[in-house]
């Protein structure tokens, strides 16, 4: 049996758009279509048999939800990701690793489940595919989440501007990578990257390979709001790493970030508020 799972909240609340095309592609198999937001995912997958397959329609947030609903375990049936989101960082990263020039329309998730990362914060253990971080980028995620419920939605650029100058103040903190602790003033962002991309195609970790046994720790620190804003576009192609005085890059199996004040944390776009410390590991 073929099951099509979609997330009605994906793609800016337009998650149902395009389902007709997926159903048409699998029409010969008479698929059943289900909304993952109203599904007990773990119970659903427990009932599947070897003859079943799942087509998951959604972006990074939908994949992140499924991975955590399954407790980080690889599903026993093939799960294909059908490109449906706005950022598609996971598909973008997988395409890069496989030497593809374009993001594929469909890709098998099972092949990448062995290389998940996990982060513990506020007593919660969450798995992630792309990246997690504390700081200004997480504040942008939180603001974008709030925008979904407003009649007049702000775009990413306008939201980012507000976060740099109004919503976030850099915080003093410490970051430990495999036992080595460094102290930083004015931390704008402390990320633990499992893939190259997060934030919709922004190449935070150009040298990271999710198939390895380490994460990439990137700490952006010591700049003013204007200085950060002016340099931030260099993250898109991954050129920010040349600013070694403000971007500290390290690789390790375990990363602990501890800030002097609580702020916002994000994992693949999932927002957790009031976090001052997290530990990430492969």
């Amino acid at each position: 049996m073929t099951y099509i799972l979609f997330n009605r909240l994906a793609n800016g609340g337009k998650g149902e758009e395009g389902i007709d095309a997926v159903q048409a592609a699998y029409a010969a198999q008479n698929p059943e279509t289900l909304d993952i937001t109203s599904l007990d995912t773990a119970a659903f997958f427990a009932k599947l048999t070897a003859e079943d397959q799942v087509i998951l329609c959604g972006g990074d947030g939908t994949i992140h939800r499924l991975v955590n609903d399954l407790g980080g375990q690889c599903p026993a049936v093939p799960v294909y990701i059908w490109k449906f989101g706005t950022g598609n960082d996971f598909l973008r990263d997988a395409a890069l690793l496989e030497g593809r020039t374009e993001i594929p329309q469909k890709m098998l998730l099972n092949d990448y489940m062995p290389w998940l990362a996990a982060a513990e914060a506020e007593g919660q253990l969450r798995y992630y595919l792309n990246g997690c971080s504390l700081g200004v980028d997480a504040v942008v995620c939180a603001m974008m989440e709030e925008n979904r419920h407003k009649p007049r939605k702000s775009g990413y650029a306008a939201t980012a501007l507000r976060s740099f100058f109004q919503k976030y103040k850099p915080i003093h903190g410490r970051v430990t990578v495999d036992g080595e602790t460094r102290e930083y003033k004015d931390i704008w962002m402390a990320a633990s990257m499992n893939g190259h991309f997060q934030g919709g195609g922004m190449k935070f970790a150009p040298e990271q390979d999710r198939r390895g046994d380490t994460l990439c720790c990137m700490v952006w620190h010591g700049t003013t709001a204007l200085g950060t804003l002016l340099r931030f576009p260099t993250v898109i192609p991954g050129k920010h790493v040349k600013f070694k005085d403000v971007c500290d890059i390290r690789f390790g199996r375990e990363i602990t970030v501890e800030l002097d004040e609580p702020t916002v944390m994000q994992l693949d776009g999932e927002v957790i508020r009031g976090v001052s410390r997290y530990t990430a590991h492969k």
Side-chain angles (χ1 to χ4, degrees), residues 86-255:
T86 51
N88 297 306
D89 287 317
F90 167 68
L91 290 177
R92 194 186 306 270
D93 188 60
L96 183 65
L97 293 176
E98 295 181 9
R100 304 191 188 193
T101 57
E102 296 182 355
I103 301 175
Q105 182 63 62
K106 188 178 77 169
M107 183 169 287
L108 184 65
L109 174 64
N110 306 57
D111 290 344
Y112 290 88
M113 289 296 287
W115 299 304
L116 291 177
E120 186 173 0
E122 300 298 314
Q124 299 182 59
L125 180 67
R126 304 291 286 168
Y127 298 94
Y128 65 95
L129 289 142
N130 304 317
C132 76
S133 57
L134 282 174
V136 68
D137 64 316
V139 171
V140 174
C141 288
M143 294 171 67
M144 291 295 288
E145 185 179 82
E146 294 168 0
N147 284 342
R148 292 176 188 172
H149 308 292
K150 296 180 180 179
R152 295 184 63 184
K153 297 177 175 62
S154 300
Y156 185 90
T159 303
L161 279 170
R162 287 178 57 209
S163 68
F164 279 115
F165 292 104
Q166 300 176 17
K167 297 293 184 179
Y168 182 78
K169 294 181 179 179
I171 306 169
H172 182 86
R174 293 150 297 284
V175 179
T176 303
V177 179
D178 289 348
E180 180 192 346
T181 301
R182 295 180 187 175
E183 220 166 305
Y184 303 90
K185 292 182 178 179
D186 296 336
I187 293 176
W188 282 91
M189 176 174 34
S192 299
M193 298 296 299
N194 190 40
H196 291 87
F197 304 98
Q198 68 175 12
M202 304 186 81
K203 209 172 189 179
F204 280 90
E207 300 300 321
Q208 173 63 5
D209 187 339
R210 69 172 63 245
R211 299 167 299 188
D213 61 357
T214 60
L215 300 172
C216 176
C217 174
M218 193 277 282
V219 181
W220 189 308
H221 64 99
T223 49
T224 63
L226 181 59
T228 307
L229 180 64
L230 291 175
R231 293 184 180 187
F232 203 72
T234 63
V235 174
I236 298 172
K239 300 297 185 182
H240 61 292
V241 296
K242 68 182 180 181
F243 302 123
K244 298 186 183 299
D245 56 329
V246 299
C247 289
D248 192 13
I249 309 292
R250 290 189 282 169
F251 293 85
R253 292 182 61 87
E254 183 173 281
I255 299 166

Side-chain angles (χ1 to χ4, degrees), residues 5-10 14-16 35-37 57-58 61-62 65:
L5 303 186
F6 73 97
N7 181 353
R8 59 183 174 81
L9 302 177
K14 301 176 182 178
E16 294 183 64
D35 181 357
I36 195 172
T37 61
C57 302
T62 304
R65 176 184 179 133

Side-chain angles (χ1 to χ4, degrees), residues 73-89:
Q73 299 300 307
C74 185
V77 300
V79 176
Y80 293 95
I81 306 301
W82 189 283
K83 186 177 71 173
F84 236 65
T86 51
N88 297 306
D89 287 317

